[in-house]
Amino acid sequence: MSKEYEKALRVISKPPDQRYDHEIHQLVPWFRSKAKLFKSLKADMLGDIIRNCDYVTKNRDDVIIKQGDVGECFYIVLNGKVTIYIINKDQVDGEEEDSNFDNIIQYTKEGVLDRSKLGYCVTSL
C-alpha cells in the first residue's frame, strides 16, 4: 500500500471531529488524483467531504445499493471491486410495477450471493 493511501485510511478512520485541518488539507491532492469527480471541486468542498465522510468496510457479496433505493449518500471505493447490475422491472416475477426489488437479493445454501438474480452485469469497477 502507498503511504498516501495509508495516510488517508488513518485520517478517515477517525471520528470526523478528530480529523485535523492540516491532515485533511494534505489529503485533498491525493483524493483529486483518484477520481474525476474530485478534480473540479474546490479544495474547501473536497475538504468538507473528507472531514465528514464515514469510513465503512464491506465484505464480498454485500449489496451496498439496491436498484430503486432513494439515494442518501455516495460511496468512494478506496480498495476493492464493485460490480454494478441492473434489472428491468418487467423481469421481476410477480412483482408490482413499483417494486423495490427486495426479492432479488438471495443467497445460496452456502451463504453466497446468487448473482443470477441481480440482472445484467453492467460493469465492474
Side-chain angles (χ1 to χ4, degrees), residues 51-101:
R51 174 176 304 286
N52 296 299
C53 68
D54 291 324
Y55 177 71
V56 296
T57 301
K58 298 293 182 177
N59 296 312
R60 179 182 175 89
D61 290 340
D62 282 352
V63 176
I64 59 172
I65 300 172
K66 291 185 300 187
Q67 184 172 329
D69 283 353
V70 175
E72 297 175 358
C73 66
F74 69 93
Y75 289 85
I76 301 167
V77 179
L78 296 178
N79 187 15
K81 178 176 158 182
V82 175
T83 304
I84 300 168
Y85 294 86
I86 61 171
I87 189 167
N88 295 327
K89 284 187 177 185
D90 60 350
Q91 291 175 310
V92 181
D93 294 333
E95 290 296 315
E96 296 177 16
E97 192 171 318
D98 62 347
S99 170
N100 64 6
F101 299 97

Side-chain angles (χ1 to χ4, degrees), residues 21 24-29 31-32 38-51:
D21 289 340
I24 293 166
H25 180 72
Q26 290 174 352
L27 293 179
V28 167
F31 272 85
R32 274 209 174 112
F38 297 146
K39 287 183 197 262
S40 62
L41 283 182
K42 293 182 180 180
D44 60 335
M45 293 175 80
L46 183 50
D48 284 345
I49 291 170
I50 296 167
R51 174 176 304 286

Side-chain angles (χ1 to χ4, degrees), residues 13-31:
S13 295
K14 297 180 191 177
D17 62 342
Q18 294 178 15
R19 298 174 192 170
Y20 297 107
D21 289 340
H22 72 276
E23 294 174 317
I24 293 166
H25 180 72
Q26 290 174 352
L27 293 179
V28 167
W30 184 79
F31 272 85

